[in-house]
Amino acid sequence: MSTTKPNILLIYTGGTIGMVKDFKTGVLRAFNFKNILKRIPELNLLDCNIDTVSFKEPIDSSNMNPEYWVQIAELIEKHYHDNDGFVVLHGSDTMSYTASALSFMLENLAKPVVFTGSQLPIGDLRTDAKENLITSIQVASLQHRKKPVIKEVCLYFEYKLYRANRTTKINAEHFEAFASLNYPDLAESGVHLKVNNEYLFKPNVNKKLVVHKNLDKNIALVKLFPGISEAVLQSVFNTPNLKGVILETYGAGNCTTEAWFINILKNAIKKGIHIINVTQCSGGSVIMGHYETSNQLKKIGVISGKDITTEAAVSKLMYLVGQNISHNAFKISYEIALRGEIT
Ligand code: ASP
């Protein structure tokens, strides 16, 4: 590899982007990702050296799980010093979960990790894959005085670069499949690639990368709805070994004030289960105590997820439970931004 151009590692985990249509049968199948440079000769025009590595068996991202997150983190860890940036190709369905998880797992990250994918396979005539892939590589290659411009985990899709742990998949049909409702775009791709420097994450670049691999899956996610029954809620909280629950509440963090509901939560907190209040709204924030219908939650010790996305809330919970810290330290860490995930 030449030393003057940035080295970029493409990590293929699976998803539509790496599939081609069999013209005879119409069936989508994965192609050998090692051949990507042959399939997309445009990549050779980019001002960087590209290397590729692929999951042995690429997956549809609906099969994603924390064990695969660790695999991705380990690939980045293994190739960290030899590369200036990373582009992770991933199915769009759970991309926000994986990318959020990686943001917590890669502490003191000082290089770009850009997640991307596509709604149509790379071989499709109307594909969105080429633009997403090419611009993601360009974003990962951006340098200022030989140092990466982006130093965080982000997600590029349909002309926009977002902070990964602020994103949600909002559309299964449109090319614009993701949104970041509580944080501005990090960059926009038009005639020029416009980076919004003021919104970029500024890590302490003198600290060494720490890769956290201990994620605890003993958590649950409960979305409230009018009429949710005591039996259903109790069964979730009775789950053996349960360590934490994300409660998706209404509006600014509100919920029913019925005694049975509050009692279940109170007992769970007494048993040491962490309960996080996250709003069902795609935009805006939990403000506990703003309404009477959230004041009780505050009093019994429910943790505020503020304006975190559900996707980031899930992986932050797995990450912090895996840290084995005291309940107090847990609450403090959850309620502050560790990787820019909370305003
Ligand atoms: N089901 C696919 C996946 O998430 C969709 C996509 O690739 O965007 O892997």
Side-chain angles (χ1 to χ4, degrees):
M1 279 187 181
S2 132
T3 48
T4 48
K5 291 180 183 179
N7 295 332
I8 304 300
L9 184 67
L10 280 186
I11 301 175
Y12 179 57
T13 66
T16 306
I17 191 164
M19 296 186 176
V20 276
K21 208 178 225 161
D22 185 311
F23 285 110
K24 281 190 195 136
T25 61
V27 172
L28 289 177
R29 58 177 166 74
F31 70 89
N32 180 353
F33 212 75
K34 280 272 165 209
N35 294 333
I36 181 105
L37 294 180
K38 277 193 208 131
R39 282 200 166 264
I40 311 174
E42 294 95 315
L43 294 182
N44 293 309
L45 300 174
L46 292 170
D47 207 13
C48 58
N49 305 305
I50 302 171
D51 217 341
T52 59
V53 50
S54 167
F55 271 14
K56 268 201 193 93
E57 286 183 26
I59 57 164
D60 184 295
S61 80
S62 306
N63 284 319
M64 205 21 98
N65 61 39
E67 287 75 37
Y68 285 122
W69 296 345
V70 171
Q71 274 191 42
I72 301 171
E74 285 179 340
L75 282 172
I76 293 172
E77 183 178 34
K78 181 172 168 200
H79 298 280
Y80 194 68
H81 291 292
D82 301 333
N83 286 278
D84 302 287
F86 301 84
V87 174
V88 183
L89 300 163
H90 192 289
S92 61
D93 288 349
T94 61
M95 194 188 292
S96 291
Y97 287 93
T98 303
S100 297
L102 265 292
S103 77
F104 297 113
M105 296 165 80
L106 302 173
E107 188 175 357
N108 305 325
L109 179 72
K111 297 182 180 182
V113 174
V114 185
F115 275 77
T116 196
S118 66
Q119 295 281 58
L120 285 175
I122 210 149
D124 197 288
L125 274 184
R126 292 174 48 252
T127 190
D128 52 333
K130 280 193 188 176
E131 199 285 320
N132 285 348
L133 176 59
I134 289 169
T135 309
S136 294
I137 297 173
Q138 284 184 323
V139 164
S141 311
L142 285 175
Q143 298 210 329
H144 179 65
R145 297 194 180 141
K146 300 250 170 235
K147 297 268 183 259
V149 171
I150 315 270
K151 304 177 195 82
E152 60 180 301
V153 182
C154 36
L155 187 155
Y156 182 81
F157 224 88
E158 192 62 6
Y159 305 111
K160 284 186 183 158
L161 182 75
Y162 310 100
R163 172 163 301 154
N165 56 31
R166 294 295 194 139
T167 61
T168 301
K169 184 172 181 183
I170 48 145
N171 205 304
E173 164 71 21
H174 294 167
F175 286 149
E176 190 164 348
F178 290 87
S180 164
L181 287 165
N182 286 332
Y183 198 74
D185 305 335
L186 302 182
E188 284 137 60
S189 167
V191 172
H192 301 286
L193 189 56
K194 183 175 169 284
V195 179
N196 300 320
N197 284 302
E198 67 274 34
Y199 299 127
L200 299 179
F201 192 70
K202 317 254 168 4
N204 182 344
V205 288
N206 298 320
K207 287 194 172 170
K208 255 189 91 185
L209 177 75
V210 181
V211 183
H212 299 277
K213 300 175 192 173
N214 196 18
L215 302 166
D216 196 320
K217 291 193 288 186
N218 290 301
I219 68 156
L221 168 62
V222 179
K223 182 171 190 156
L224 297 190
F225 57 92
I228 187 169
S229 73
E230 183 171 357
V232 163
L233 196 70
Q234 191 63 70
S235 73
V236 172
F237 279 95
N238 283 345
T239 307
N241 240 339
L242 187 70
K243 310 258 178 59
V245 175
I246 311 275
L247 211 58
E248 266 202 9
T249 57
Y250 312 123
N254 308 314
C255 62
T256 174
T257 50
E258 285 180 81
W260 65 264
F261 180 81
I262 300 296
N263 280 336
I264 291 179
L265 304 189
K266 215 195 241 170
N267 290 334
I269 292 170
K270 265 196 209 137
K271 282 199 281 179
I273 296 173
H274 308 289
I275 303 181
I276 323 293
N277 186 356
V278 165
T279 174
Q280 292 178 12
C281 298
S282 337
S285 182
V286 162
I287 311 170
M288 286 204 293
H290 189 56
Y291 288 91
E292 195 197 339
T293 44
S294 67
N295 209 20
Q296 296 256 41
L297 299 183
K298 194 174 173 180
K299 281 193 186 145
I300 63 172
V302 168
I303 296 166
S304 177
K306 301 185 183 174
D307 64 346
I308 199 168
T309 60
T310 297
E311 291 87 336
V314 165
S315 51
K316 187 172 185 179
L317 184 54
M318 288 187 188
Y319 162 66
L320 283 178
V321 173
Q323 296 289 297
N324 262 320
I325 47 180
S326 71
H327 187 79
N328 234 2
F330 185 99
K331 186 173 184 329
I332 292 169
S333 298
Y334 209 101
E335 291 184 341
I336 58 167
L338 300 178
R339 313 280 190 267
E341 72 282 8
I342 281 178
T343 302

